[in-house]
Amino acid sequence: MPLTLCVLLYPVDGQEDQLAAYEDEVLALIPEYGGTVLSRVRRVGGTTDQPYEVQLIEMPDQAAVDAYQADPRRSSVAGLRDQAIARTDVLPVAAVTGD
């Protein structure tokens, strides 16, 4: 059963460019696991207590999510992630229809 995930990313103060660079690199791996980045948007203005980037990602199933998260290429850039990202919230979501 496909999973849709809403990912909220909060940067370390002043590290927005590094957060974006890290996400560029790791999101490029999503298609290898059968997933799709449905949407990727960034905050305009706001404050540091708000997410800087919000992503909607669809994955085929939890096994694909687990495999993506365990990808050694992600692990190899974990230092960049730790420097740039203060907090990540991942929420399973579903589309709301007008019915």
Side-chain angles (χ1 to χ4, degrees):
M1 172 179 205
L3 299 175
T4 303
L5 304 172
C6 179
V7 181
L8 307 171
L9 296 158
Y10 298 79
V12 170
D13 288 343
Q15 299 297 308
E16 291 84 359
D17 289 345
Q18 289 78 6
L19 179 151
Y22 170 81
E23 291 300 320
D24 288 345
E25 189 165 341
V26 298
L27 289 176
L29 304 173
I30 293 275
E32 294 181 34
Y33 295 93
T36 303
V37 178
L38 302 173
S39 177
R40 183 178 180 195
V41 296
R42 293 196 183 121
R43 162 174 48 86
V44 176
T47 62
T48 57
D49 64 334
Q50 298 172 326
Y52 175 68
E53 184 165 308
V54 177
Q55 304 163 355
L56 283 178
I57 300 171
E58 186 173 82
M59 297 293 277
D61 52 33
Q62 187 61 49
V65 173
D66 295 343
Y68 165 72
Q69 290 177 331
D71 188 301
R73 293 169 291 181
R74 289 186 75 231
S75 301
S76 73
V77 291
L80 176 59
R81 184 195 190 293
D82 293 343
Q83 292 174 3
I85 300 174
R87 177 176 143 202
T88 302
D89 295 334
V90 179
L91 311 168
V93 297
V96 177
T97 62
D99 297 331

